[in-house]
Amino acid sequence: MSVQTLAEQATIPPNSDSIASSPFNVDSFNEAVMSTYARFPLALERGAGCRVWDTQGREYLDFVAGIATCTLGHAHPAMVEAVTRQIQKLHHVSNLYYIPEQGELANWIIQHSCADRVFFCNSGAEANEAAIKLARKYAHTVLDIEKPIILTANASFHGRTLATITATGQPKYQKHFDPLMPGFHYVNYNDINAVEVAISELDEGDYRVAAILIEPLQGEGGVRPGDVAYFKKLRQICDETGILLIFDEVQVGMGRTGYWWGYEHLGVEPDIFTSAKGLGGGIPIGAMMSKKFCDVFQPGEHASTFGGNPFVCGVALAVCQTLERENILQNVQARGEQLRAGLKAIAAKYPHQIREIRGWGLINGLELTSDTQLTAADIVKAAIDEGVLLVPAGPKVVRFVPPLIVTEAEVNQALQAFDKAIDQAIVVKGSGD
Ligand SMILES: *Cc1c(COP(=O)(O)O)cnc(C)c1O
């Protein structure tokens, strides 16, 4: 069966009633689903490419992509084909056995990064948990540190498990969940002096810094790119001291920035790094990569039932190969430049509201001024009304993370809609809201 036939069979055509479902009821949803999310008032039903449709049939340009995740957009034929093929062949068997797809995906990652070894799991938090465990075991067994400390950055984001909210340098994610995990210490991002001070001050008794866990570009924390000189110095400090350098590439990895990995923008390679969001193009998968020298896990020391199963690995491999075959990284760079240029032109029209445009490739942030009453959420709401989906990155930054296949025309359309949205948001705020 050809790719096209499988794709046609599996894709639900727009406005089709072929899958019966009762009309969406927000009250019954809120009764049943635990209220862990503040959701925007829309229910999405289907998608194609960079567009999604809500349950009312309204179309949106998707510049969220499942939060920097759906790299190939929605219902991409290569994903439809891979999902269909893999579910018909074999989807889950556990890591009691060898899984050929897992080996193939690991090899693809190794060939396209500085990694020598890969461990598969299901999410970004879980990948960071694996990195934290690996760093702690390395500290105990190689660095001979009794009480290892991991440095992380203020305004970082590393996930929602107990260890990763502790690693996350933002009190709002930790409140009411204490006692937190011991063994973490925070430093300001892009401030090398703070790292040097922490390393020397924390070297006391059984305590010593064992690893630095950091994002090449802070995503959730406001789309803040890492500084090249800072990261080069981090690498140098780690080389001199044996401290492990761990990069959280969950949001910026897998082509999002126009390179496969965020660290390529910084000219330094980590010892360990993690990936998730874009890795499977929207299929739940996470991974932790390491250099050979820090691969200290023995059989039985870390595991995941679902981790690296044939289904997710088969699909993620198809996503990786499609990005590569279709030269998507080039598109990411070109569309990123187009988007930033367009946003800068809009920013010039609203100097009292917009402070700065920044980002790499197709992860970009628009920061509002501290003077304006407008919040990122106000703008995101106004953009929904104009037919574009965006996501805040903190209270004052609007984030643009479209699928990596976004076209020139779609970027232009999003810019036009965004221009109207900001105008509208100003009117609403100005009228006493
Ligand atoms: C989203 C994110 C995570 C957490 O990933 P989950 O899959 O939600 O657990 C961790 N680190 C970074 C940098 C992220 O952006």
Side-chain angles (χ1 to χ4, degrees):
M1 198 179 286
S2 78
V3 169
Q4 202 48 45
T5 348
L6 275 176
E8 280 162 7
Q9 276 191 358
T11 305
I12 300 165
N15 298 314
S16 146
D17 298 322
S18 60
I19 287 190
S21 65
S22 44
F24 180 74
N25 180 324
V26 71
D27 296 324
S28 115
F29 182 99
N30 286 332
E31 276 291 309
V33 179
M34 202 171 278
S35 59
T36 59
Y37 303 97
R39 298 173 197 268
F40 292 104
L42 96 153
L44 297 172
E45 191 171 60
R46 61 176 182 275
C50 296
R51 288 164 203 282
V52 288
W53 286 266
D54 70 12
T55 46
Q56 318 286 324
R58 226 193 130 200
E59 180 181 313
Y60 302 87
L61 205 44
D62 182 8
F63 269 51
V64 176
I67 315 187
T69 291
C70 304
T71 52
L72 292 177
H74 303 278
H76 191 287
M79 279 191 84
V80 172
E81 192 277 332
V83 165
T84 310
R85 171 171 38 83
Q86 202 58 55
I87 203 77
Q88 288 175 341
K89 193 176 166 200
L90 190 67
H91 72 292
H92 181 76
V93 289
S94 91
N95 287 292
L96 291 168
Y97 316 103
Y98 285 94
I99 298 169
E101 292 83 359
Q102 192 179 119
E104 277 185 70
L105 180 59
N107 274 300
W108 190 95
I109 294 172
I110 287 165
Q111 281 156 18
H112 294 81
S113 75
C114 64
D116 298 318
R117 297 278 190 273
V118 185
F119 170 82
F120 289 106
C121 52
N122 312 287
S123 69
E126 220 188 317
N128 287 333
E129 288 271 349
I132 291 164
K133 280 178 73 176
L134 186 66
R136 284 186 171 188
K137 178 161 187 204
Y138 183 87
H140 287 294
T141 59
V142 180
L143 299 177
D144 199 22
I145 303 175
E146 191 70 30
K147 295 191 166 150
I149 293 170
I150 298 176
L151 296 186
T152 65
N154 287 316
S156 59
F157 185 81
H158 299 296
R160 301 298 199 123
T161 61
L162 275 170
T164 59
I165 59 167
T166 310
T168 294
Q170 299 193 59
K172 70 172 176 185
Y173 293 114
Q174 303 168 340
K175 198 177 166 204
H176 299 318
F177 298 121
D178 50 305
L180 297 175
M181 193 75 51
F184 290 89
H185 181 87
Y186 313 106
V187 290
N188 282 341
Y189 193 64
N190 282 339
D191 177 356
I192 201 69
N193 186 48
V195 172
E196 287 170 332
V197 168
I199 290 171
S200 79
E201 284 187 352
L202 295 169
D203 187 352
E204 205 188 310
D206 292 338
Y207 290 95
R208 196 144 49 95
V209 172
I212 300 169
L213 167 62
I214 194 157
E215 295 159 271
L217 171 153
Q218 291 190 322
E220 306 294 316
V223 190
R224 282 172 214 288
D227 181 59
V228 172
Y230 169 76
F231 272 82
K232 289 216 154 117
K233 190 78 182 142
L234 279 185
R235 183 65 272 178
Q236 190 192 330
I237 290 171
C238 290
D239 286 340
E240 285 164 8
T241 56
I243 291 171
L244 292 173
L245 188 56
I246 308 172
F247 287 169
D248 181 339
E249 293 262 359
V250 169
Q251 187 152 167
V252 296
M254 278 310 298
R256 172 62 51 194
T257 69
Y259 293 96
W260 287 120
W261 307 103
Y263 65 72
E264 293 174 64
H265 286 263
L266 300 167
V268 297
E269 290 182 352
D271 303 313
I272 297 171
F273 64 102
T274 55
S275 178
K277 289 192 168 81
L279 180 54
I283 297 288
I285 181 171
M288 177 200 45
M289 279 58 68
S290 82
K291 294 278 202 194
K292 198 171 178 177
F293 80 91
C294 37
D295 177 21
V296 293
F297 281 153
Q298 297 295 316
E301 289 185 334
H302 196 53
S304 162
T305 299
F306 287 133
N309 79 15
F311 180 74
V312 294
C313 289
V315 178
L317 186 64
V319 170
C320 293
Q321 289 169 339
T322 304
L323 290 171
E324 186 169 19
R325 193 179 55 242
E326 297 184 1
N327 246 321
I328 305 291
L329 296 194
Q330 251 178 4
N331 186 60
V332 175
Q333 293 178 3
R335 298 290 72 80
E337 277 167 28
Q338 180 195 352
L339 180 62
R340 278 187 299 280
L343 288 175
K344 280 177 185 164
I346 293 171
K349 297 202 296 182
Y350 304 99
H352 298 295
Q353 287 80 21
I354 302 175
R355 180 170 173 261
E356 190 181 43
I357 309 298
R358 56 177 179 251
W360 292 341
L362 285 175
I363 176 160
N364 292 288
L366 175 147
E367 183 169 355
L368 299 167
T369 60
S370 49
D371 295 343
T372 181
Q373 300 286 306
L374 285 176
T375 64
D378 292 333
I379 307 235
V380 168
K381 280 180 201 144
I384 289 174
D385 291 339
E386 297 300 331
V388 178
L389 303 185
L390 299 170
V391 55
K396 284 288 192 178
V397 177
V398 181
R399 187 170 17 164
F400 297 73
V401 281
L404 305 186
I405 57 165
V406 70
T407 64
E408 187 175 356
E410 285 164 340
V411 169
N412 282 332
Q413 190 192 337
L415 285 165
Q416 275 174 21
F418 180 76
D419 197 353
K420 282 191 204 150
I422 192 145
D423 205 49
Q424 219 25 60
I426 291 168
V427 170
V428 169
K429 261 294 177 331
S431 68
D433 182 28

